[in-house]
Amino acid sequence: MSRIDLKRLILGDKQADRVVPPSGFTAQLTIFAAAAMAFLAVFAMALSLASGRLAARWGNELAQSSTIRIVAPLDQRQAQTDAALRILETTAGVAYARALDDAEQQALLAPWFGADLDLQALPVPQLIEVIEEDTGFDAAGLRLRLAAEVPGAVLDDHSRWRAPLVAAANRLRLLGWISAVLLGASVAVMVTLAANTALAANAQVIAVLRLVGATDRYIAQAFIRRFTLRAFGGAIIGIALAMAAVSFLPKASDTAGFLTGLGFQGWHWFLPFLIPVLSALVAFVATGTAAKRALKRLA
Amino acid sequence: MIELENVAYSYGGGALLSEISLKLAPGSFHFLTGPSGAGKTTLLKLCYGALLPTHGDVTLFGEDVSRLERDDIALVRRRMGVVHQDCRFLDHLTVSENIALPLTASGRPASAGQDDLTELMAWVGLTHRADAVPPELSGGERQRAALARAVIMSPDVVLADEPTGNVDWEMSQRLLRLLVELNKMGKTVLIATHDLSLIRAAKSQIQARVLRIANGRLQLAGADL
């Protein structure tokens, strides 16, 4: 079907379009199925993009820092903090480390204890922020050294709880794209079935067209154009409804959870417009293949 | 133009046609006769490439049909006009659209053959039925519309399969006159029919060769016709 005249396919030919009789059932079936698949594809795309954003955010935060807590009696806390910092200076993979000052620690606790908290009145551990290099550091080795030289130090490696979440978000993103691909395949199957039905129902028309000198290319084009336009039109309806539905979802916010971020952001709003084009492309290939087989069978 | 050489055609294990040799020269007029089931329609289909011989060679306008792709056969068929007994129209199209179908199928713009179409519809006397659909036509009108469709591409050859099978004597004579007129314009005509009275009527108007199929073989008919 590579020789199909693209210009004629897009612009159409009024006479040629009338040659194949209109078939209400397959037309409605194709438009409805394309609309439904496009509607679902928009949500799969939104889910995938939201998961991607989540994975990226968690991944970036994971890469940023680790924390060491110094839990020691007040008179030993500064000495142990200095010891921990010395160890960190000589640890490969640590880009930067610093002890948080009292104001910073107070700010961290303010949501729970209020802004007037006296740190000296509570056994609050000293926190050390550790910034890693891209290569990261050997967390197990660092723990061993800290245990030997700084008994009150506890390394909080964020990857323990963030890594599975990032993996889950990435899997969710992958599932979203797999769903979109499966929806595309479903469109192809549905269009193939509808096209086969239409071709079989029009066997007599095809015989007459052949009798008067119509080539297989001409006959196939009449069917391909029809199904391609139906799939495109149905997908337009589907994405219009889906984007309206997505726009009514709650907007993403820092305080809310993952579900409030399920939608499109920025230029991602333009991505669903690819779906009708892809849907038409799938219908074009599926009908072309079905027509080629059917015309060979009917020869 | 159309040449069959030692052609055989078998179907379902039995030989329907064998040792058929036929040459249709430009401007010639032929009748093909024989009893029902003798293989007239099969021979006609071999002549326009709808069937391929199981043995022998069919040459259409210098092309060996067995070497042609389906689309190439379609292109060759545009040089032939075929009339069937059952006419084979597309019932959802009007009479004028059916007659213009070969033009449409060849990708010509609708306006390109408009004058030819108008002239042709007048020639077969169907101008007043242009916007009717085929089921609304009488038997004679259907056959005339089928003939008009067969010749709209100005083919070199007209093949007609029992064109007068469903019409009365008067209409069959009218159709015959149209076919004779085409032959006088230089078209090659081959008519398959079992109607001997039609053949006798034609022979009084034109030099026609009469071929008969009997027992799967082709022979020149005797003087009894």
Side-chain angles (χ1 to χ4, degrees), chain A residues 171-262:
Chain A
R171 292 278 166 81
L172 205 55
R173 175 167 56 175
L174 182 65
L175 280 176
W177 287 117
I178 288 173
S179 301
V181 170
L182 287 175
L183 288 167
S186 302
V187 169
V189 169
M190 178 275 305
V191 169
T192 301
L193 289 173
N196 275 329
T197 305
L199 284 157
N202 287 296
Q204 200 60 40
V205 172
I206 291 168
V208 172
L209 288 172
R210 280 185 164 148
L211 184 70
V212 300
T215 58
D216 281 7
R217 183 157 61 115
Y218 175 87
I219 299 167
Q221 192 161 291
F223 288 91
I224 289 171
R225 177 177 152 73
R226 194 166 284 194
F227 280 94
T228 302
L229 291 180
R230 284 173 189 168
F232 183 76
I236 289 279
I237 295 169
I239 67 156
L241 293 173
M243 287 175 76
V246 167
S247 69
F248 284 116
L249 288 175
K251 300 288 179 289
S253 68
D254 291 337
T255 52
F258 163 71
L259 283 174
T260 59
L262 187 61

Side-chain angles (χ1 to χ4, degrees), chain A residues 18-19 210 213 215-216 218, chain B residues 70-71 77-78 92 97:
Chain A
R18 277 187 44 76
V19 163
R210 280 185 164 148
T215 58
D216 281 7
Y218 175 87
Chain B
R70 282 199 306 279
D71 278 1
R77 205 172 283 165
R78 291 177 189 174
H92 65 286
E97 285 173 330

Side-chain angles (χ1 to χ4, degrees), chain A residues 128-151:
Chain A
I128 298 175
E129 181 187 23
V130 181
I131 306 298
E132 300 173 23
E133 289 177 347
D134 290 343
T135 51
F137 58 78
D138 175 11
L142 181 58
R143 278 198 186 90
L144 286 173
R145 289 181 65 193
L146 288 170
E149 299 180 36
V150 188

